Each structure stands twice: as C-alpha cells, then as structure tokens.
Amino acid sequence: MAKFVVTGGAGFIGSHITDMLIERGDEVHVLDNFLTGKRERVNSKAILHEVDIRDFEKLPPIFKGASGVFHTAAQPRMQYSIKEPRLTNDINITGTLNVLLAARDAGVKRVVYSASSSAYGSKHPMPLSEDMAPGPIIPYAIQKRVGEQYCEMASLFYGLETVSLRYFNVYGPRQTTDADGPYATVIGIFLGQRQKGSPMTIVPDGTRRRDFTHVTDVARANLLAMESDKVGKGEIINVGSSKNYSILEVADLIGGPRVFIEPRQGEVQETLADNRRARELIGWGPEIEFEDGIVELKKMHNLV
C-alpha cells in the first residue's frame, strides 16, 4: 500500500482519481477546502483533510510519507477568472507553488499537475500539440500555464519529479451542472436543462468544436503519469481524445429543444488534441467513446 495525496479530492476530477487509487488498495489523503468540492464526493475510505492549499504551513505534515501528490485543486472556469482574477490567481498560482514546495519539503517523489488545454490560446492550427507555443489570454489559462512553468522549475531546481497533464474538456459523472451556477461546463448545463424540461442554451451558433475527454480516462492518465519512468522533469502532456464535436452535435446526442444566446468572452472556436505524446510517454489513450459517455450520462439524469 502506497500513500498518495489528492488536492481537490472532493472535486470532479480529484474524486475520480481518489476512487481509482482506493480501488487498487492505496492509502489516499484527500485535501479540500470545499469552495467548489462536495463532501458527498469524498470516498469514505479516504482520509479527509479540510485544508486550503493557500495555507502553506498545513501542507507538509499531510504530504509527509506520500509517494506522490495529484494536484487537482483549483478555482476553475475561465469566465469566472475574468470576473475574479485576484482570487483565482491566489488559488491557482500561489496555491500551486505551495503544493510544489510542500511536496519538496516533505520528501515526496512526484507531483502530477492538472493543467489545461486553455494554455494554447486561440491562434494555433489543429490538432494542438505540446511543442506549440502557449498563447493564453484569459486569467485562468494564464494561471494554469504558470503552474506548468512552476512544475518545470521545481524539477529543475529542487529535484521534485513533476508532470503536467493538459486536459481537454473533461466530462462525465459528477461534473458541474446548471444547478452549480453559471460557470458549469456545456454538457453539464445541457443535461441539467433537459432534466428540468428547459431548452438547451447554445453559445452563440453551435459551430464551435470541442475535444471531449471522459473523466475516467483522465483519472487513468493521472495514475499512469505517476508511475511512468519516462516522465518527471516537468513534461507537458495532452490528455484528449483526438476527436472533436460541435456543440450542435452534442445537443443532438442529448436530444431536445435548444435556444441560441449571445457569445461569451474569450472562448476559442475549436479544440482538438494531438495525444501522441501521451501514448509514447505514459502509455495512455482514451478508452471511452464520446457517444457512449453521453448515453451513460443521459441514463444517470433519467433522460433515456
């Protein structure tokens, strides 16, 4: 049995990583302040620490003896970061630096960092590959990019093994819905709206395309990144399906009426991952087809 820490372990992605670790028999310490996490997501077999990653002094004792840290804690949502740049900066940048330094001080071997494909910005041809120059504009994207750079720094100067996983539009069970406020993800918004009998709100015309990646595949990528002997020096790795769908196609898969609303600031036209590096360095590829994932969610929301 190995000890692992999952920051943000009460969150969408962190809770799935926690479940996967516990299922294979590991000792898991969940660290969460419940700003966005939910207590009901925390696995009953995990050891819970109600701690904020901005409170540095509390981190090293929790990290001590851990083989690795999965750093998923963040203040997510790009639109929210435009509204609250100071808060999101404090959590996403200062909090990430705290996690890295605490891991160093506690003798942790490796940190797997939850990065974001938003770091690419909007000016690249598809598919997006890790050797493309980052071009983040929105505060959240900038903050996640700085987190990647801090991971590289920690490996270079402190000998802490790190790897950054750039997620592409993660969806699946426990994702945010419209009930969680205006900053939920598109699939969660659609499902929540259809469950209430409301039309799906499409921004602005439904032609934008996204590379959707199931949360189970993302959690599995985290475990593979923690174990791979081909990474550990701050490598950046795309975690995406290498397929994309328009928002209209997503609405068609879910089914039901839709209405069109005004565009939001900073949203890119398309995302599509080149995932060859993930296959080469951590032996990862997506296993859950998008259509199957949507059927699963429709059943969970009683829409089938």
Side-chain angles (χ1 to χ4, degrees):
M1 177 183 291
K3 173 182 175 180
F4 292 97
V5 176
V6 182
T7 72
F12 171 37
I13 296 171
S15 64
H16 283 275
I17 295 172
T18 297
D19 289 350
M20 205 168 280
L21 291 168
I22 286 175
E23 186 177 348
R24 74 178 193 183
D26 291 319
E27 175 187 329
V28 184
H29 291 248
V30 165
L31 191 155
D32 209 295
N33 65 0
F34 296 103
L35 278 178
T36 58
K38 298 181 179 180
R39 293 183 187 277
E40 60 267 26
R41 291 175 178 160
V42 180
N43 192 301
S44 61
K45 295 181 180 179
I47 300 166
L48 175 62
H49 305 268
E50 192 167 344
V51 172
D52 194 307
I53 57 174
R54 292 171 291 178
D55 194 348
F56 175 77
E57 299 302 327
K58 294 182 179 179
L59 302 183
I62 300 170
F63 289 7
K64 191 171 180 61
S67 298
V69 173
F70 296 90
H71 179 36
T72 73
Q75 184 62 50
R77 305 293 163 254
M78 291 187 283
Q79 297 299 319
Y80 183 76
S81 74
I82 296 172
K83 181 180 178 182
E84 298 288 349
R86 292 182 62 191
L87 172 63
T88 53
N89 188 87
D90 197 22
I91 295 172
N92 296 338
I93 293 183
T94 303
T96 294
L97 179 59
N98 284 349
V99 167
L100 293 168
L101 295 180
R104 175 201 65 180
D105 295 348
V108 172
K109 181 182 179 182
R110 181 174 293 183
V111 173
V112 177
Y113 171 61
S114 290
S116 171
S117 61
S118 63
Y120 286 110
S122 61
K123 297 182 180 179
H124 296 298
M126 300 295 130
L128 298 166
S129 63
E130 298 90 343
D131 57 1
M132 292 176 172
I137 299 173
I138 292 177
Y140 174 78
I142 294 169
Q143 293 153 14
K144 297 303 281 186
R145 171 57 184 152
V146 172
E148 294 175 346
Q149 293 175 299
Y150 266 134
C151 285
E152 295 175 29
M153 177 277 301
S155 293
L156 180 62
F157 293 109
Y158 303 137
L160 176 67
E161 293 184 8
T162 64
V163 57
S164 296
L165 303 182
R166 280 185 180 167
Y167 304 151
F168 282 72
N169 299 89
V170 187
Y171 77 101
R174 305 176 201 162
Q175 68 189 348
T176 55
T177 70
D178 61 333
D180 297 299
Y183 304 109
T185 54
V186 62
I187 293 175
I189 291 173
F190 284 179
L191 290 169
Q193 290 169 336
R194 295 303 304 125
Q195 202 167 27
K196 292 185 298 186
S198 302
M200 295 172 282
T201 51
I202 296 178
V203 182
D205 59 5
T207 61
R208 288 173 176 166
R209 303 185 68 84
R210 295 290 181 267
D211 185 328
F212 294 101
T213 316
H214 197 276
V215 68
T216 299
D217 282 333
V218 170
R220 185 169 50 83
N222 273 265
L223 271 62
L224 290 169
M226 184 63 75
E227 297 168 351
S228 174
D229 59 5
K230 296 180 180 180
V231 296
K233 297 180 180 179
E235 295 86 355
I236 295 168
I237 299 175
N238 286 340
V239 175
S241 71
S242 288
K243 297 180 182 178
N244 64 15
Y245 298 79
S246 73
I247 303 305
L248 283 174
E249 288 173 320
V250 175
D252 288 341
L253 286 170
I254 293 173
R258 70 285 308 269
V259 295
F260 296 90
I261 61 176
E262 290 300 312
R264 296 181 296 200
Q265 286 182 296
E267 293 199 348
V268 299
Q269 182 63 30
E270 183 176 12
T271 63
L272 179 65
D274 179 338
N275 62 21
R276 287 176 295 178
R277 183 178 292 184
R279 296 179 185 277
E280 293 168 2
L281 296 185
I282 63 174
W284 179 89
E287 294 182 349
I288 299 176
E289 292 291 337
F290 183 60
E291 292 84 355
D292 295 335
I294 293 297
V295 169
E296 171 197 34
L297 289 172
K298 287 175 69 174
K299 290 178 180 177
M300 291 177 62
H301 288 77
N302 299 313
L303 296 173
V304 175

